[in-house]
């Protein structure tokens, strides 16, 4: 009889502790991944910039510092973005024609909503930045509003097709001459709260374990009291 009464709380206890521990372990794995990513970005950013050669650029060139010369085109893509302490606004992305003739995309930085549609005259010349292959688009990302020029992610394939450029994006690190643009160079300052999340899940697992043990002790104690009364 006692075994049957203990079956449910024991099973529930083991199930809850297992699930919570698995979530904690998942966050530890995420923590290691994020630390490796931060180290990778920091190492890449600290490298000496190299002259940009589009034929040598692929996904393995992620974060690579580059320098290049040429001229900006005037047409722009505006991607929704928020930047502290400026608030909501847009990332400004322009085509850039290299001296070699290829056209790439350059992320100039951030502009506030009020400065979205002002005319910007960006000086040509030698600039520097980092190669970036964004991963911001999923099945829930809306299509861009081409009439209002509002994009909801930096979709490299769509942007390059729309502006007729190579699928290469450079995040600008050098400042431009336009005061409306806040340069947003690539940095390793990623949000990394996975350790706190792991501690939370493991703490919940420990609390669940103690509650399960307490419940089991109560059931055993009540069972002994009932048996004692029956004997008396």
């Amino acid at each position: 009889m006692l075994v049957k009464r203990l079956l449910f709380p024991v099973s529930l206890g083991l199930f809850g502790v297992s699930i919570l521990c698995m979530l904690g372990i998942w966050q530890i794995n995420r923590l290691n991944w994020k630390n490796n990513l931060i180290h990778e970005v920091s190492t890449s950013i600290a490298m000496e910039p190299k002259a940009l050669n589009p034929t040598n650029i692929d996904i393995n060139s992620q974060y690579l510092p580059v320098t290049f010369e040429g001229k900006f085109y005037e047409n722009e893509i505006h991607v929704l973005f928020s930047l502290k302490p400026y608030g909501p606004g847009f990332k400004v992305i322009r085509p850039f024609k290299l001296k070699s003739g290829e056209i790439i995309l350059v992320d100039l930085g951030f502009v506030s909503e009020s400065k979205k549609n002002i005319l910007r005259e960006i000086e040509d010349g030698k600039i520097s930045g980092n190669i970036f292959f964004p991963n911001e688009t999923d099945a829930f990302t809306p299509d861009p509003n081409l009439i209002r020029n509002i994009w909801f992610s930096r979709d490299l394939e769509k942007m390059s097709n729309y502006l007729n450029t190579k699928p290469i994006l450079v995040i600008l690190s050098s400042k431009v001459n336009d005061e409306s643009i806040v340069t947003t160079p690539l940095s390793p300052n990623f949000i990394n709260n996975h350790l706190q999340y792991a501690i939370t899940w493991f703490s919940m697992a420990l609390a669940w374990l103690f509650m399960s043990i307490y419940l089991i002790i109560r059931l055993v104690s009540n069972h002994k009291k009932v048996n004692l009364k029956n004997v008396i």
Side-chain angles (χ1 to χ4, degrees):
M1 181 68 177
L2 178 60
V3 174
K4 289 184 178 180
R5 294 187 63 187
L6 292 179
L7 183 61
F8 176 74
V10 169
S11 300
L12 183 62
L14 291 174
F15 176 77
V17 171
S18 299
I19 293 297
L20 293 170
C21 284
M22 287 173 60
L23 290 170
I25 293 171
W26 174 63
Q27 288 297 333
I28 292 295
N29 292 334
R30 293 281 295 174
L31 174 65
N32 293 331
W33 168 80
K34 185 63 70 68
N35 286 337
N36 290 335
L37 177 62
I38 292 172
H39 176 72
E40 179 186 351
V41 175
S42 300
T43 302
S44 297
I45 290 175
M47 293 172 61
E48 190 70 22
K50 297 181 179 180
L52 175 60
N53 183 355
T55 59
N56 295 334
I57 299 300
D58 56 27
I59 190 64
N60 296 316
S61 307
Q62 184 80 305
Y63 314 125
L64 180 70
V66 292
T67 60
F68 47 97
E69 292 184 74
K71 65 176 183 179
F72 282 103
Y73 287 174
E74 291 185 358
N75 46 333
E76 296 178 344
I77 280 178
H78 299 154
V79 184
L80 277 176
F81 193 75
S82 181
L83 182 67
K84 293 181 180 180
Y86 302 96
F90 299 88
K91 276 297 195 84
V92 177
I93 297 175
R94 276 194 178 191
F96 186 91
K97 186 175 183 179
L98 303 171
K99 280 191 170 182
S100 57
E102 294 97 336
I103 303 174
I104 64 170
L105 295 169
V106 176
D107 185 328
L108 293 171
F110 171 86
V111 295
S112 60
E113 285 185 290
S114 60
K115 298 177 181 179
K116 177 183 185 299
N117 295 318
I118 66 173
L119 181 63
R120 280 175 277 273
E121 296 183 3
I122 310 298
E123 292 181 354
D124 302 327
K126 186 174 182 179
I127 59 177
S128 59
N130 296 85
I131 300 294
F132 187 62
F133 288 91
N135 183 22
E136 304 171 348
T137 307
D138 57 29
F140 301 99
T141 305
D143 290 330
N145 185 329
L146 300 180
I147 296 176
R148 299 179 59 192
N149 191 13
I150 296 177
W151 294 60
F152 301 94
S153 69
R154 288 177 293 187
D155 188 321
L156 187 54
E157 183 179 356
K158 284 186 178 180
M159 292 191 303
S160 60
N161 288 336
Y162 182 71
L163 294 176
N164 195 25
T165 72
K166 283 186 169 294
I168 298 174
L169 176 66
V170 176
I171 307 293
L172 199 66
S173 59
S174 55
K175 292 185 178 180
V176 294
N177 60 300
D178 193 298
E179 294 183 356
S180 69
I181 298 176
V182 180
T183 307
T184 55
L186 198 63
S187 72
N189 298 325
F190 299 106
I191 296 175
N192 190 5
N193 296 324
H194 297 295
L195 180 59
Q196 293 92 312
Y197 297 154
I199 292 172
T200 299
W201 288 122
F202 285 130
S203 298
M204 291 177 65
L206 193 61
W208 191 286
L209 177 63
F210 286 150
M211 291 173 61
S212 299
I213 292 174
Y214 175 75
L215 177 59
I216 292 170
I217 292 174
R218 286 289 303 272
L219 290 173
V220 172
S221 177
N222 291 338
H223 181 76
K224 288 181 177 180
K225 288 179 181 179
V226 170
N227 286 344
L228 182 61
K229 287 181 179 179
N230 292 336
V231 170
I232 295 174

